[in-house]
Amino acid sequence: MIVIAAPFLMEMLFFGNNDSYAIGLKSLEKSLSLLFFPIFIIGNYQRIQFLKILKAYCIGTTLIMVFFFVRFIVLYPEHFFKYLNGIHLWEMGYVFSDSIGIHAPALNMHLAFVAFSNLYFLLETSKTNYNKWYKIGDLVLFISSFFFVLYVNTRMALLGTLFGFMVVGYFQISKRDSSKIIFKRAIVMLLLIGSVLFLFIQKNPFMKEKYSTQIFSNMDKVGKLDAIDHPEIAVYSSFVTRLSIWKSAWELSLKNLPFGVGASDGKIELVKYFKETNQIFLAKYEFPTHNQFLDYLLKFGILGPIVALFYIGFIAYLGIKTKNAVVLSFFFLFFISNLTDDFLLRFDGIVFSGLWISIFASYWLQQKSKRVANNIFLE
């Protein structure tokens, strides 16, 4: 409970470091759920049905996305048919996400989790005696969720999705009770995923550019983005922009050690530093840190990245202890997502992580209770 509530407790500890207590309270309010989730969920861990909750979440999220996709086609047909014809594909995922009212990387992090969880359920039902319509339903859910990940098309989420697919497939194949049929089905599913991805890339030529030349273009312009002609077009989502932000955040963090600038002042001070160092492009768009560890270093000093590492690393610990592919995949997804973004800065990222870490912890405690009960029985 303390590990999950650690970001909230750290904001309490450094609350006096804020220039504005009003903004500090607003920041504190965003992370308040990290105090209540552990109390109410882990405090009642015996009642938490992990797989049922996960299944309901996957079905609900996929159906909601289908609704928003149909809504997008009806309300924004000019955008949809433009993308269908291969025009302005670079904006597709972001425009679709904006129509829902959520930042594209944040949306795709949720969708990635749903995609590899749907694969988990699909492979699980393939070895049971469920009727064929139930299995077809799981297949449709999986294909739909993977399609939405590709449609929103953010790099870290896609990487996290593919890693999750491999982990889920590996766990299914390596189980002691795994039969040759499960092995064949897991291989077929991985080949199907590869085929869908290949076909999507063929129909979306921008993906080739986005995942190759665009990522590492203009690497000699780190900290000098204004020297690039029209940086909004050329490098807005390139790695060089992230590196330029990180360079400034690191320099500013070093100036404010050991206690940082305060939870309410991280972005404000960073934008000021952009202006002081004459980085007009970064100042104009007021980029946040885009790295959770650097964000906490800037806000809370030396203790910040340590707390972030414990908070995110705890998911890996739970995955190893429960030996569950979904939990391990969630760790990888949330970890790499926070290397290029700062989801503990956002309310949806805080709630998303706090909720599922609490559920994972409850699942682990249930396993521990069963082992203890079995040992007592054997004795």
Side-chain angles (χ1 to χ4, degrees):
M1 289 181 176
I2 292 172
V3 172
I4 298 171
F8 172 80
L9 298 175
M10 187 170 59
E11 288 213 27
M12 288 286 292
L13 179 64
F14 289 96
F15 186 77
N17 207 19
N18 293 307
D19 287 342
S20 169
Y21 288 165
I23 301 177
L25 282 171
K26 186 177 179 181
S27 177
L28 192 64
E29 181 188 11
K30 285 195 295 186
S31 59
L32 188 61
S33 59
L34 297 181
L35 181 64
F36 289 112
F37 278 147
I39 293 173
F40 290 106
I41 296 176
I42 298 176
N44 295 280
Y45 74 90
Q46 302 95 332
R47 301 181 180 184
I48 302 300
Q49 297 178 309
F50 167 51
L51 293 179
K52 285 188 177 182
I53 293 172
L54 181 62
K55 183 69 173 181
Y57 178 82
C58 290
I59 293 173
T61 303
T62 306
L63 291 177
I64 289 169
M65 288 306 301
V66 170
F67 167 78
F68 277 117
F69 187 67
V70 173
R71 173 180 173 272
F72 183 71
I73 296 172
V74 173
L75 296 183
Y76 307 96
E78 69 283 1
H79 284 292
F80 175 75
F81 288 107
K82 180 173 67 171
Y83 305 142
L84 197 62
N85 292 317
I87 302 170
H88 294 169
L89 292 174
W90 57 271
E91 68 176 33
M92 179 175 68
Y94 284 86
V95 171
F96 174 64
S97 300
D98 286 343
S99 73
I100 300 174
I102 186 172
H103 186 46
L107 173 62
N108 225 16
M109 183 173 63
H110 291 266
L111 298 179
F113 177 48
V114 170
F116 58 68
S117 297
N118 276 332
L119 178 62
Y120 170 81
F121 286 118
L122 178 61
L123 293 177
E124 283 290 319
T125 56
S126 69
K127 61 182 181 181
T128 60
N129 295 321
Y130 287 111
N131 65 60
K132 67 176 182 179
W133 293 111
Y134 193 96
K135 295 177 181 179
I136 290 171
D138 276 350
L139 179 61
V140 171
L141 282 172
F142 166 67
I143 293 173
S144 300
S145 58
F146 187 36
F147 165 76
F148 289 126
V149 171
L150 293 173
Y151 194 79
V152 177
N153 195 16
T154 55
R155 300 185 188 100
M156 290 296 107
L158 181 57
L159 177 61
T161 303
L162 297 178
F163 179 85
F165 288 164
M166 289 188 289
V167 171
V168 169
Y170 172 78
F171 268 66
Q172 289 293 329
I173 293 169
S174 62
K175 284 183 177 179
R176 290 181 181 178
D177 61 344
S178 180
S179 63
K180 290 183 179 179
I181 295 175
I182 297 299
F183 178 79
K184 290 178 181 178
R185 286 177 178 172
I187 295 298
V188 169
M189 287 308 304
L190 292 175
L191 289 174
L192 176 63
I193 291 164
S195 300
V196 171
L197 182 60
F198 176 78
L199 290 172
F200 196 89
I201 291 173
Q202 292 300 312
K203 294 294 182 180
N204 185 351
F206 173 68
M207 280 191 74
K208 299 176 184 177
E209 178 186 346
K210 182 175 182 178
Y211 289 85
S212 56
T213 56
Q214 192 193 69
I215 295 179
F216 299 111
S217 63
N218 297 288
M219 292 298 288
D220 58 327
K221 295 296 191 295
V222 175
K224 299 176 287 185
L225 298 180
D226 296 299
I228 301 170
D229 187 32
H230 299 296
E232 295 89 345
I233 299 173
V235 296
Y236 192 91
S237 60
S238 294
F239 190 47
V240 66
T241 302
R242 291 286 199 277
L243 285 175
S244 298
I245 297 168
W246 297 344
K247 179 176 179 291
S248 296
W250 174 257
E251 292 169 353
L252 186 58
S253 297
L254 293 180
K255 291 182 178 181
N256 289 277
L257 291 178
F259 301 119
V261 299
S264 68
D265 306 311
K267 185 177 179 180
I268 296 171
E269 293 298 324
L270 185 59
V271 173
K272 283 183 182 178
Y273 190 74
F274 291 153
K275 294 176 181 177
E276 291 171 5
T277 52
N278 203 30
Q279 298 183 80
I280 299 170
F281 169 65
L282 296 182
K284 177 182 177 182
Y285 289 95
E286 298 186 350
F287 287 99
T289 313
H290 280 98
N291 179 291
Q292 191 56 63
F293 302 96
L294 274 176
D295 179 68
Y296 269 22
L297 177 66
L298 177 60
K299 289 178 176 178
F300 306 113
I302 297 171
L303 187 61
I306 296 173
V307 169
L309 187 62
F310 268 93
Y311 179 81
I312 298 174
F314 184 56
I315 310 170
Y317 175 81
L318 293 173
I320 294 168
K321 286 294 184 180
T322 58
K323 298 179 181 179
N324 186 278
V326 172
V327 181
L328 280 173
S329 299
F330 184 96
F331 159 72
F332 182 80
L333 172 67
F334 197 65
F335 177 73
I336 64 167
S337 295
N338 279 290
L339 291 179
T340 57
D341 230 310
D342 32 24
F343 286 109
L344 294 181
L345 180 66
R346 300 173 54 87
F347 180 73
D348 51 1
I350 293 168
V351 171
F352 176 65
S353 60
L355 172 67
W356 284 107
I357 297 172
S358 299
I359 292 173
F360 298 154
S362 298
Y363 180 56
W364 169 53
L365 289 172
Q366 288 173 4
Q367 289 185 342
K368 284 187 67 176
S369 296
K370 288 179 182 178
R371 285 196 296 269
V372 171
N374 288 336
N375 289 336
I376 293 172
F377 177 77
L378 291 172
E379 289 174 1

